[in-house]
Amino acid sequence: MPEGFFIGQFEIKFYGIILMLGAVAGAFLASREAKRRGYEPEIVWDLMIYLLIGGIIGARLWHIFTPPPSSGVTTEWYLTHPLDALNIRKGGMGIPGAVIAGVIVMYFYARRHGLGFTDWLDIGAPGLALGQAIGRWGNFFNQELYGAPTNLPWKIFIDPEHRLVQYLDVEYYHPLFLYESIWNLGNMFLLLWISRRYADRLKSGDLFLMYLIVYPVGRFLLDFLRLDASIVAGLNINQTVMAVVAVGAALALLLRHRADLKRA
C-alpha cells in the first residue's frame, strides 16, 4: 500500500493529509460550537495555528519519551541524536502529548486574549474528538496501530515489512486504529448531545472533563489488544496514564456536582 505520492522530489504523506483533514474538521466543528455559544467563531481559526504547532511539539515529545518497541529506537537514542528527534517525517507522534500541549496553548491564548479558559476547553472538546476520529485513519495508510492477530471478518492485512519481528508469519490483525476512530466518533456525538441536553446543569469545564473520561477509558481498553505497548519503568505508560486521567476527571466531575447529587 502506498504511503503517499511525490510532487517532483518531495513526498506528500497520506498520514499528514489525513491529520490536516482531522484538524480542519475539528476546527470547523469548534467554530460552530463557538457561534452557538455566542462567541466569535473566527477565534477558533486563529487559535488553530497555535494549537497545531503546540500539538505537534507535544505529540513528538510524548513519542520521544515513550517510544514503542516497534519504533526501533529508545529515548536515550533520541536524546543523543537530536536530528532524529526533530525528524517527524519518520513518524512517531503521541496523542496524549498533543492533548497536554493543546491545553497549555489554550490556557496562555485565553489568558492573553481575555477568554474563558474552561469555556473554550468545552467548545473544543467535541472537535478534538472528531479530529482524532479522522486522524486515526492516517495509521491505516502507514499500516501501524494494528492490534493482535485475528480472523474476524473485519481483519486487516499487514505487509511483512510493517509486522513485528515475532509476528512475521501472521498476515491478519485487529484494525485497532478503526476501533479507536469509532470510539472517538461516538465520543464526539456524546459530548454534543450532553452539551445540549444538560446545558442548564453543566458548569464551565464539565464537557472537557467528560472528554477526559470517555477517551481515556476507550484507549485503556483498546491497549489490551496492542502488540507494541510503550513500557516505562515496567508499566504500559499509555494505559497507566489513561487510567489515572479517567479516574481523576471522574472524581473532579463528581466533586464539582456533589451538591447537586445530594439534592437529588
Side-chain angles (χ1 to χ4, degrees), residues 5-12 89:
F5 58 92
F6 285 88
I7 297 180
Q9 297 297 316
F10 188 75
E11 184 180 12
I12 305 295
R89 287 184 62 81

Side-chain angles (χ1 to χ4, degrees), residues 136-137 139-140 143-158 171-183 222 225-227:
R136 271 306 179 202
W137 281 90
N139 300 122
F140 169 73
Q143 293 198 47
E144 58 190 8
L145 198 64
Y146 53 87
T150 185
N151 284 315
L152 291 170
W154 52 85
K155 63 192 176 184
I156 57 169
F157 176 81
I158 299 297
E171 296 183 334
Y172 296 98
Y173 301 81
H174 280 282
L176 205 55
F177 72 89
L178 174 61
Y179 300 162
E180 189 171 328
S181 178
I182 293 172
W183 183 269
L222 290 175
L225 288 174
R226 192 158 185 170
L227 298 174

